[in-house]
Amino acid sequence: MRYVSKRYKAKFSAFHKIARSNDMSIELWLELKRRCSELKESRRLRDKEGQIIIWEQLSIDDNMVTFPMQTLKGTPLDVISVCFNAESFISLQQSYGECPQEIAVKVIASLEAN
């Protein structure tokens, strides 16, 4: 039991040292580590199964449009595609296939309005 405590303390001390050297709190550092792990898992899943964009679940914000992504088997990825202008939307369509026409019109209109 003592060995486990020493290992935990050494690990926690290393995290604290890294967080302090980057002017962060330990909570923020641990949150960044968690998010990094989630992103790596999404990349592994994407590389293993492939990915597609769910065009119908778009989100239009002030200056951008976001699309969630999923694997070809239907597993949602923790990754989104972001378009800031019409050119990026067109290149996204070239990479992932054509978007339904009514969605494409809505996206281009919202991106050109900004």
Side-chain angles (χ1 to χ4, degrees), residues 38-86:
E38 291 172 0
L39 183 60
K40 286 181 182 178
E41 177 62 29
S42 292
R43 286 182 181 163
R44 283 191 292 270
L45 199 58
R46 177 197 67 195
D47 293 342
K48 180 180 176 184
E49 298 180 5
Q51 66 182 359
I52 58 171
I53 293 179
I54 309 169
W55 297 110
E56 293 77 22
Q57 295 180 7
L58 74 143
S59 174
I60 299 175
D61 294 326
D62 293 336
N63 299 332
M64 65 182 170
V65 177
T66 58
F67 300 95
M69 302 190 77
Q70 70 180 17
T71 64
L72 295 174
K73 293 183 178 179
T75 307
L77 295 171
D78 295 330
V79 179
I80 58 173
S81 292
V82 180
C83 298
F84 293 103
N85 54 32

